[in-house]
Amino acid sequence: MERVLPFRFDEKEGVFWLLDQRKLPLEEVWVPVRTAREMAEAIRAMVVRGAPAIGVSAAYGMVLAHLSGEDPEESDRLLRQSRPTAVNLFHALDRMRAHWGDLEGSLEEAWALWREVEATERAISLHGAKVLRGQVLTHCNTGPLATGGYGTALGAIVEAHRQGRVAHVWVDETRPYLQGARLTAYELKKAGVPATLITDNMAGFLMAQGRVDAVIVGVDRMALNGDFANKIGTYTLAVLAHHHGIPFYAALPLSSVDPSLESGRGIPIEERSPEEVLELRGVRIAPMGVAAYHPAFDLTPHRYLTGIITEKGVLYPPFAEALRDALGIA
Ligand code: MRU
């Protein structure tokens, strides 16, 4: 599969280059990031997005802090404030904390984190491919652009297609940021997987017609009982799939599980600017003066999940036990 990665690191120049995901697929523009402060702003503005990709970028943000002489504590604080929902950001920064003041150590840790993302996603793709068949529906973007590796849910879809199990993908456009239309459609096209774009409100009609065999999505943060936050619209899909008796899977690295949360109630849900709803790619679509609401994620209760696809295999209910086992916690 041809993979487009969301970033590359030029160690000699001390620059972390981000592929500007706000401009894809119409333009491929690379943005240089030289400081942790700039990285925090790039994550906030969604130049780079997707839970694992945010984690790797934040780790390199700390590398840049060392290279550019910024205070590690202040850099860590700025990066932690960039986006609240994906736990990978905090997980990566926790790991980098052990190397504050140590450039070599921070370089090694960031590189190790990136390599782990690749290895876990290869495993997730292979495990996930086994449970998918026919026509699958996915939401948001969970491919290499969202991770820096092979992708989670989209990695499994591409692998299942390679194995001849998945024939076709329904791609939710994913309003308001259009990750599905702009990024997933772009990645599936590059991977040579037949895909059809739909707007988010078409899923129920397709399910009722028997044209969806499985739904698979990614995860920004999962609690220990399997409740999870993912892109706004995921919950709606979960309820629809449940109603129609269609298998519904979440794919994630175990590092996206927050062991401090027993249930999804404590997951912080990011609220973004209403402008992103009032406009479509910068073009105003609603009358001036109209209010808009923009939660960027929603919460899906674990009871709607058929299985949780991880690097250690596919977990089935009861999820609280299965997740604890997989994480090795009592
Ligand atoms: O707001 P985004 O684009 O960062 O949201 C991304 C998602 O919701 C993905 O589904 C999630 O991060 C999983 S990525 C493998």
Side-chain angles (χ1 to χ4, degrees):
M1 166 190 178
E2 191 194 336
R3 279 193 296 160
V4 178
L5 294 182
F7 33 61
R8 58 174 189 259
F9 182 49
D10 181 341
E11 188 178 338
K12 213 160 80 177
E13 297 294 326
V15 180
F16 197 75
W17 290 91
L18 292 176
L19 179 57
D20 192 339
Q21 297 195 34
R22 299 168 304 182
K23 300 216 160 72
L24 286 174
L26 302 180
E27 288 174 80
E28 292 185 9
V29 177
W30 287 88
V31 178
V33 180
R34 294 188 170 83
T35 62
R37 181 176 288 275
E38 285 176 13
M39 184 66 88
E41 177 51 26
I43 294 172
R44 192 206 57 74
M46 292 174 70
V47 177
V48 63
R49 32 64 52 198
I54 292 172
V56 174
S57 300
Y60 276 94
M62 289 308 297
V63 170
L64 295 175
H66 287 94
L67 286 170
S68 65
E70 292 167 288
D71 174 46
E73 195 165 349
E74 170 68 359
S75 302
D76 175 85
R77 193 184 63 77
L78 288 173
L79 287 161
R80 279 177 197 271
Q81 286 174 351
S82 58
R83 291 193 75 189
T85 302
V87 77
N88 311 59
L89 174 82
F90 306 96
H91 180 243
L93 290 170
D94 288 346
R95 279 178 63 160
M96 296 304 286
R97 189 184 282 267
H99 306 284
W100 282 7
D102 168 13
L103 174 60
E104 279 309 308
S106 76
L107 270 167
E108 275 170 27
E109 191 66 42
W111 178 248
L113 181 77
W114 191 355
R115 296 284 70 82
E116 281 169 36
V117 163
E118 284 211 319
T120 52
E121 289 175 6
R122 190 73 198 119
I124 289 167
S125 303
L126 292 169
H127 291 304
K130 291 189 217 138
V131 300
L132 299 178
R133 65 173 184 88
Q135 305 205 66
V136 300
L137 189 149
T138 192
H139 191 65
C140 197
N141 172 256
T142 60
L145 283 169
T147 70
Y150 290 93
T152 55
L154 206 67
I157 290 174
V158 171
E159 178 59 25
H161 174 261
R162 199 190 63 76
Q163 295 179 12
R165 299 179 59 89
V166 161
H168 172 250
V169 188
W170 297 107
V171 179
D172 259 7
E173 120 188 286
T174 320
R175 271 283 280 154
Y177 197 71
L178 307 177
Q179 288 94 332
R182 296 187 304 102
L183 309 175
T184 301
Y186 170 83
E187 291 192 313
L188 287 174
K189 187 157 179 270
K190 282 203 186 277
V193 180
T196 304
L197 184 63
I198 55 172
T199 59
D200 302 336
N201 48 2
M202 296 176 187
F205 181 57
L206 291 172
M207 289 181 190
Q209 291 177 318
R211 298 168 78 190
V212 180
D213 297 303
V215 177
I216 181 167
V217 295
V219 169
D220 284 85
R221 190 186 298 222
M222 183 173 273
L224 279 175
N225 67 349
D227 294 352
F228 69 102
N230 189 51
K231 182 51 54 194
I232 190 78
T234 301
Y235 170 61
T236 317
L237 278 180
V239 175
L240 278 173
H242 182 76
H243 178 79
H244 291 94
I246 295 168
F248 181 84
Y249 296 97
L252 75 161
L254 286 165
S255 58
S256 294
V257 179
D258 183 341
S260 74
L261 296 175
E262 291 297 329
S263 82
R265 273 194 300 275
I267 301 179
I269 297 293
E270 176 181 11
E271 222 179 281
R272 293 187 66 85
S273 162
E275 293 306 311
E276 293 177 2
V277 173
L278 294 166
E279 295 177 351
L280 198 53
R281 303 209 79 191
V283 178
R284 182 88 188 183
I285 54 170
M288 299 308 283
V290 166
Y293 175 48
H294 184 189
F297 299 94
D298 60 24
L299 279 175
T300 299
H302 64 89
R303 67 175 177 279
Y304 293 120
L305 275 169
T306 307
I308 300 174
I309 300 162
T310 75
E311 66 270 32
K312 292 204 176 156
V314 184
L315 312 183
Y316 293 100
F319 293 121
E321 275 169 49
L323 279 167
R324 278 190 153 78
D325 274 359
L327 289 163
I329 52 179

